[in-house]
Amino acid sequence: MNSIVATLVSGILLGSLYALMASGLSVVWTTLGVFNFAHGALMMIGAYAAWTVSEGMGLGLLPGILAGVATAALCGIVIEYLLIRPFYGTRHMLLVTVMTTLAALIILEKGAQLIWGAKLKQLPRLVTGDVSIFGATISWHEAIIILLAPIVLLLLWRFTAMTNRGRSLRAVGQNQDAAALIGIDVPYAFAIAFGLAAALAGLTGALLGSIRFITPVMGSEPLVKAMIVVIFGGLGSLGATAGAAYVIGLLEAFLILWIGLYWTPFALFLLMIAVLIFRPNGLFGRA
């Protein structure tokens, strides 16, 4: 029973991190209709920026997290302006943006290695100590992540559904020409979507940097998991992405328990292929 509870808690923690990561991908896809392969690298940049302010400058973890979010958001806006905006409306925009965001991924990873070096780094935890949940022991830092993720997702949903700026992002995602006709600045909406998604990636990196070591390639694995989440849940729906993130997190935790760490990625990719074959719009998506 203790192992089952521990696995449940671990799955919820994984789902919380995946939800924060994948929701940014969902925002970009919903608004621009492209997949940002540099999203994991933006998470890494957020972690390194948080470490620089927190440990390098000695200003503390909370200012470090804010710096990580802001730095990642700024990098996201720059990527959109330099590598994606010039190709809006072109015939092969989707293919071109795949190549440009992959180029951004390589540039950010190599740049991080030049700036911060290859030495492993780690952030301190928000709160020290452990907490017991039905016999399963986790750190207070991990418990805060579990509580924080739904709050951030709720705020993101409130922004996209109940504010004029958020509704303008949805309008641009549905029909760019119609949105422009009613006075919405479409390029500005694209920049906001990219900056918001990058900020979520930076927040994820800053939180994850207290659990795992910070390296230039730390965003690669979370990016793959986030891609599985958005495909599993259904592209274009924030609620479906959040629900799928927790399902994948719990499934991954139990797969590690049942079949081991080595075979779990294989099982997750097999599940993604099955969803693409039988439910191309995702389990929670609509045609």
Side-chain angles (χ1 to χ4, degrees):
M1 181 59 69
N2 288 338
S3 64
I4 296 296
V5 174
T7 304
L8 281 171
V9 174
S10 176
I12 294 172
L13 175 63
L14 288 173
S16 300
L17 292 169
Y18 294 161
L20 291 174
M21 187 77 172
S23 59
L25 289 177
S26 180
V27 168
V28 170
W29 179 267
T30 302
T31 308
L32 284 80
V34 299
F35 192 88
N36 178 20
F37 283 92
H39 199 69
L42 291 170
M43 187 193 83
M44 173 269 298
I45 290 295
Y48 271 118
W51 180 88
T52 301
V53 172
S54 175
E55 300 299 296
M57 299 180 181
L59 298 180
L61 183 57
L62 287 178
I65 291 176
L66 293 177
V69 171
T71 303
L74 180 61
C75 288
I77 293 172
V78 170
I79 289 173
E80 186 275 335
Y81 183 78
L82 295 178
L83 301 180
I84 296 181
R85 185 174 299 189
F87 305 105
Y88 288 154
T90 59
R91 182 179 178 185
H92 301 293
M93 176 184 172
L94 187 59
L95 179 60
V96 172
T97 53
V98 168
M99 293 186 290
T100 56
T101 54
L102 282 173
L105 164 68
I106 297 172
I107 292 170
L108 290 175
E109 287 184 350
K110 300 305 180 184
Q113 188 166 355
L114 287 173
I115 296 171
W116 288 285
K119 185 178 179 180
L120 299 177
K121 296 175 175 60
Q122 193 168 31
L123 286 164
R125 305 204 168 195
L126 283 167
V127 182
T128 58
D130 298 326
V131 59
S132 179
I133 302 177
F134 299 109
T137 301
I138 61 172
S139 68
W140 271 110
H141 180 83
E142 293 170 336
I144 290 174
I145 293 176
I146 292 175
L147 295 175
L148 181 64
I151 296 174
V152 173
L153 294 174
L154 182 62
L155 291 175
L156 179 62
W157 170 81
R158 184 176 177 82
F159 170 75
T160 57
M162 299 184 180
T163 66
N164 290 334
R165 183 58 62 190
R167 284 193 287 263
S168 71
L169 298 184
R170 297 168 62 193
V172 169
Q174 292 176 9
N175 192 313
Q176 296 179 21
D177 294 333
L181 286 174
I182 62 174
I184 296 175
D185 189 340
V186 175
Y188 183 62
F190 286 164
I192 290 178
F194 237 88
L196 180 60
L200 290 169
L203 176 61
T204 308
L207 294 173
L208 191 61
S210 299
I211 302 174
R212 301 180 182 178
F213 288 112
I214 302 173
T215 68
V217 294
M218 67 174 292
S220 300
E221 181 186 354
L223 175 64
V224 173
K225 299 292 177 61
M227 181 169 58
I228 293 174
V229 166
V230 294
I231 293 174
F232 184 83
L235 289 167
S237 173
L238 184 60
T241 299
Y246 285 98
V247 172
I248 292 295
L250 288 167
L251 182 61
E252 181 179 357
F254 277 100
L255 284 173
I256 292 173
L257 177 66
W258 292 332
I259 65 176
L261 185 63
Y262 182 80
W263 288 102
T264 296
F266 167 78
L268 290 176
F269 274 104
L270 191 63
L271 174 65
M272 183 183 71
I273 293 171
V275 170
L276 287 173
I277 293 174
F278 298 105
R279 290 280 298 180
N281 296 308
L283 289 186
F284 308 123
R286 291 177 293 181

